[in-house]
Amino acid sequence: MAILFVLSGLPGVGKTTLAKALSPRLQAVHLRIDSLEAALKTSVLAISRAEDAGYVAAAAVAKDNLLLGNNVIADAVNPIEITRNIWLEAALGAKVKALNIEVICSDAAEHKTRVETRHNDISALSLPSWEDVQRRRYEPWKKHRLVVDTYEKPIEDNVEEVIEAFSQLVRYGSY
């Protein structure tokens, strides 16, 4: 049975790094909102403020892949409950389980350094400044999720933590 892995967290916490490390281990499709939103921006429609378009498009592709039996990793900030629910609706529509994973960097100085020094691998994407990240609306979670701290452990340990939660979800229906 396919699983939808929903990575959420502020810019610069390590969501994409975690997704890239997880994808081959889980044999999962990696859907990165930054890539979709950049593509919308450079399309003939020239959508510069994608609002929910990237999320809605990615959730549709996620559902298609889940219905094919593919695991999917959704890599997005998911700052508010509405965006988080878009993914859950895709999982429900495909009749599969979803694993919510909030990615954090518990050390503010390290988080700031990551934001200020990260490499932009998508030309049409404007990376946020540290001030932008601090001002960003990010609602507290109301639903159960696995919290992965990318500051405390190396990425390989974070991957193993997610794999263990995945194994428990498959074995017992929850983690």
Side-chain angles (χ1 to χ4, degrees):
M1 175 197 284
I3 304 278
L4 175 60
F5 298 84
V6 183
L7 301 183
S8 304
L10 289 170
V13 295
K15 295 179 305 295
T16 300
T17 300
L18 180 59
K20 287 178 179 180
L22 276 170
S23 186
R25 291 282 307 274
L26 299 169
Q27 298 178 343
V29 175
H30 175 206
L31 295 178
R32 184 177 176 193
I33 291 298
D34 287 344
S35 297
L36 284 159
E37 290 181 347
L40 290 168
K41 184 178 181 180
T42 60
S43 74
V44 295
L45 298 175
I47 300 170
S48 61
R49 285 187 44 102
E51 300 297 335
D52 69 341
Y55 283 86
V56 172
V61 174
K63 182 179 172 186
D64 287 345
N65 276 277
L66 292 165
L67 287 167
L68 291 171
N70 297 321
N71 291 327
V72 174
I73 299 172
D75 171 2
V77 173
N78 294 312
I80 58 177
E81 191 170 4
I82 293 168
T83 57
R84 297 168 191 160
N85 287 339
I86 287 172
W87 301 111
L88 298 180
E89 290 169 13
L92 283 171
K95 296 181 175 68
V96 301
K97 294 187 182 298
L99 177 58
N100 282 314
I101 304 163
E102 183 179 20
V103 183
I104 66 167
C105 176
S106 61
D107 183 89
E110 173 64 19
H111 187 191
K112 179 180 181 189
T113 299
R114 290 180 188 179
V115 168
E116 293 176 340
T117 61
R118 71 182 181 161
H119 169 72
N120 188 353
D121 62 341
I122 304 173
S123 61
L125 177 68
S126 297
L127 294 177
S129 68
W130 176 241
E131 291 75 26
D132 294 335
V133 171
Q134 288 182 302
R135 284 193 303 264
R136 184 156 198 156
R137 178 179 172 198
Y138 192 84
E139 292 178 357
W141 279 78
K142 296 178 183 172
K143 294 185 171 98
H144 182 69
R145 84 263 183 223
L146 172 66
V147 177
V148 173
D149 189 343
T150 61
Y151 176 69
E152 294 181 342
K153 301 176 192 168
I155 193 68
E156 297 80 20
D157 290 352
N158 296 137
V159 167
E160 291 306 320
E161 186 176 356
V162 174
I163 298 287
E164 178 58 31
F166 166 66
S167 297
Q168 288 181 21
L169 184 62
V170 170
R171 210 172 314 137
Y172 307 114
S174 65
Y175 60 96

